Amino acid sequence: MCSQLQAAMSSLIDVFHSYSGREGDKYKLNKLELKNLLKEELSELLSDPMVVEKIMNDLDENQDGQVDFQEFVVLVAALTVACNEFFIVCEESCKQEHPGPKKN
Amino acid sequence: MCSQLQAAMSSLIDVFHSYSGREGDKYKLNKLELKNLLKEELSELLSDPMVVEKIMNDLDENQDGQVDFQEFVVLVAALTVACNEFFIVCEESCKQEHPGPKKN
């Protein structure tokens, strides 16, 4: 039986390989594969098309024009931290707008 | 409609908060919450009980005895990279043991 966290980790691996396996080195994303991944998986978060070029350059630490799984996980981690912060800010501002009943 | 990657990122946030919200600062894991998370979510990967102490010390970069979401994501990223490498090694060794038909 797979836990929710293990399922999420397994999904990250699956998603990466479902794009990286399309052409060239099947364990690395080239620019087209990365572009497709960002477009199909994260279009709601990353709507600016210019962002693909920027992300490719930022992620590709060893400048080989390809993104390996470790480089990909760094992106996912950063985005998830940003989403989490957004979630907390929303929750805090919601509490201020709609404070619960005061305790006696 | 949520993509597989977005669902995985959302799961990471959900799992963290389902443990961090149990006591004290609801946006951080204390040692007991981290211990429960590791035990309930990752027991198959981390079977040694001594490992909790080690992980807490490694993750808690600012040494406040608590693990925030960013620190947690670093653990998940490292574990997922390790799992991915294990997956690749298995696949490569499987191919060597059972090579496909030779091309003419």
Side-chain angles (χ1 to χ4, degrees):
Chain A
M1 180 64 187
C2 189
S3 72
Q4 188 182 1
L5 182 55
Q6 280 176 292
M9 290 165 61
S10 174
S11 274
L12 296 182
I13 294 175
D14 281 354
V15 167
F16 180 85
H17 291 286
S18 70
Y19 291 85
S20 70
R22 292 183 185 180
E23 56 184 40
D25 185 334
K26 68 176 189 162
Y27 299 130
K28 291 182 180 177
L29 296 170
N30 64 22
K31 199 172 282 191
L32 180 63
E33 290 166 337
L34 175 69
K35 194 174 167 176
N36 286 330
L37 187 156
L38 295 177
K39 195 173 147 191
E40 291 167 33
E41 298 288 331
L42 295 173
S43 57
E44 286 171 43
L45 296 177
L46 306 170
S47 51
D48 183 350
M50 289 294 290
V51 93
V52 175
E53 196 73 25
K54 172 90 176 72
I55 287 179
M56 187 78 189
N57 290 335
D58 287 352
L59 285 189
D60 183 19
E61 278 185 1
N62 59 0
Q63 298 292 314
D64 66 349
Q66 297 190 305
V67 170
D68 65 20
F69 186 71
Q70 187 157 355
E71 291 164 338
F72 167 72
V73 163
V74 169
L75 167 70
V76 173
L79 285 174
T80 312
V81 168
C83 288
N84 179 61
E85 280 161 12
F86 181 73
F87 160 81
I88 290 175
V89 169
C90 286
E91 198 177 84
E92 292 296 327
S93 99
C94 186
K95 264 194 298 191
Q96 283 172 8
E97 282 172 28
H98 309 286
K102 282 183 186 169
K103 283 182 181 169
N104 292 323
Chain B
M1 180 64 187
C2 189
S3 73
Q4 189 183 0
L5 182 54
Q6 281 176 293
M9 289 164 60
S10 172
S11 273
L12 295 183
I13 294 176
D14 280 353
V15 168
F16 181 85
H17 290 287
S18 71
Y19 291 85
S20 71
R22 293 182 185 180
E23 56 185 41
D25 185 333
K26 68 178 190 161
Y27 299 131
K28 291 183 179 174
L29 297 168
N30 64 23
K31 199 170 281 191
L32 180 63
E33 289 166 337
L34 176 69
K35 192 173 169 178
N36 286 330
L37 188 157
L38 296 176
K39 194 172 149 193
E40 291 167 32
E41 299 286 330
L42 296 172
S43 57
E44 285 171 43
L45 297 176
L46 308 169
S47 51
D48 183 350
M50 287 295 288
V51 94
V52 176
E53 196 74 26
K54 172 89 176 72
I55 287 180
M56 186 79 190
N57 290 334
D58 287 352
L59 285 188
D60 183 19
E61 280 187 358
N62 60 0
Q63 299 292 315
D64 66 349
Q66 296 191 307
V67 170
D68 65 21
F69 187 72
Q70 186 157 356
E71 291 163 338
F72 167 72
V73 164
V74 169
L75 167 70
V76 174
L79 285 174
T80 311
V81 168
C83 288
N84 179 60
E85 280 160 12
F86 181 72
F87 160 82
I88 290 175
V89 169
C90 286
E91 200 176 82
E92 293 297 327
S93 99
C94 185
K95 265 195 299 193
Q96 283 172 8
E97 282 172 29
H98 310 286
K102 281 183 186 168
K103 285 182 181 170
N104 291 325

